[in-house]
């Protein structure tokens, strides 16, 4: 079973940039002056789709050139912080993991997108609109959304599912633990928990309990839901169905998976 990382990538404007650069159909005079080059930063796949939409934006805004700069994910956040700190070559637009955006917003590094609700309808977005705001002020728009996918080895799970007296793959925690115990032993575990992967924890554990990482601009994972989620996390290890994986010491967990 694998929990894919899920991303909300937030399109935000750096404070030294222009007032608005979202790819909308608004007249160019309402966003950026003609004969302007917008520097847009993306990492890996975000740069791919930024490059794909840049020609359409340029066609809708004659005289505006979009320059997409690509970064590897591992160095991307540091590059943003270094550019802000130095004030040199600061991009106009960046894509951000929302986990990073909060500190940048609170420190005044990004500009609010005043009036963005008049150009974009929040209801048109599958989710993530509120992740891009602070105290009701919008600083970005959701740009990308991935969904979790679960898969399992039928040759291992199906016999255990039948032995547990179930007709289908478990649909609740207790049944899943029951099946997992039947396929786990000293050498093999039903679950791999990568300790450094906070995405897997909050999506696979915290969110199903109704918890959130942030609420009203404050960290909110130290809640009853957070305690329940961490309790289950520990229980899976204690009952012998999960392997804790330390990526720093043991390397990439994908080969182990």
């Amino acid at each position: 079973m694998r929990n894919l990382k899920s991303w909300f990538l937030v399109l935000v404007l750096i404070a030294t940039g222009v007032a608005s650069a979202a790819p909308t159909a608004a007249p160019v005079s309402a966003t950026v002056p003609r004969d302007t080059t917008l520097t847009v930063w993306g990492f890996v796949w975000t740069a791919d789709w930024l490059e794909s939409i840049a020609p359409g934006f340029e066609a809708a805004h004659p005289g505006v050139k979009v320059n997409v700069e690509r970064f590897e994910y591992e160095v991307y956040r540091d590059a943003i912080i270094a550019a802000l700190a130095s004030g040199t070559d600061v991009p106009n637009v960046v894509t951000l993991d929302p986990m990073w955006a909060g500190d940048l917003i609170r420190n005044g590094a990004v500009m609010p997108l005043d009036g963005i609700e008049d150009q974009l309808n929040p209801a048109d977005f599958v989710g993530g609109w509120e992740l891009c705001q602070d105290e009701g002020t919008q600083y970005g728009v959701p740009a990308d959304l991935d969904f979790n996918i679960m898969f399992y080895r039928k040759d291992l799970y199906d016999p255990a599912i039948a032995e547990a007296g179930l007709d289908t793959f478990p649909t609740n925690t207790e049944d899943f633990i029951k099946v997992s115990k039947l396929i786990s032993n000293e050498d093999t575990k039903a679950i791999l928990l990568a300790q450094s992967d906070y995405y897997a924890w909050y999506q696979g554990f915290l969110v199903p309990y109704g918890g959130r990482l942030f609420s009203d601009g404050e960290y909110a994972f130290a809640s009853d839901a957070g305690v329940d989620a961490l309790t289950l996390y520990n229980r899976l290890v204690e009952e012998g169905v999960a392997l804790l994986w330390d990526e720093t010491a043991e390397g990439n967990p994908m080969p182990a998976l």
Side-chain angles (χ1 to χ4, degrees), residues 116-235:
I116 191 65
E117 294 84 358
D118 297 330
Q119 300 182 47
L120 299 175
N121 181 8
D124 290 339
F125 291 82
V126 175
W129 187 266
E130 293 183 356
L131 282 175
C132 309
Q133 63 181 226
D134 181 57
E135 297 183 351
T137 299
Q138 200 74 22
Y139 290 89
V141 296
D144 182 76
L145 174 65
D146 291 346
F147 293 92
N148 288 337
I149 297 175
M150 185 183 74
F151 65 89
Y152 65 95
R153 284 184 54 178
K154 292 175 67 65
D155 61 321
L156 292 179
Y157 272 90
D158 282 357
I161 289 170
E163 186 177 347
L166 304 175
D167 296 325
T168 61
F169 192 88
T171 58
N172 61 69
T173 300
E174 296 306 320
D175 283 345
F176 179 73
I177 291 177
K178 183 189 301 183
V179 171
S180 297
K181 285 183 175 181
L182 293 172
I183 63 174
S184 298
N185 53 48
E186 287 296 320
D187 300 320
T188 302
K189 304 298 180 184
I191 308 166
L192 185 147
L193 298 176
Q195 297 181 75
S196 60
D197 190 350
Y198 64 87
Y199 280 99
W201 180 76
Y202 87 72
Q203 291 179 341
F205 293 84
L206 183 61
V207 173
Y209 275 104
R212 300 183 64 178
L213 288 174
F214 301 96
S215 179
D216 298 326
E218 300 291 335
Y219 293 108
F221 55 80
S223 60
D224 290 342
V227 171
D228 290 340
L230 190 58
T231 299
L232 175 59
Y233 192 98
N234 290 333
R235 179 185 170 192

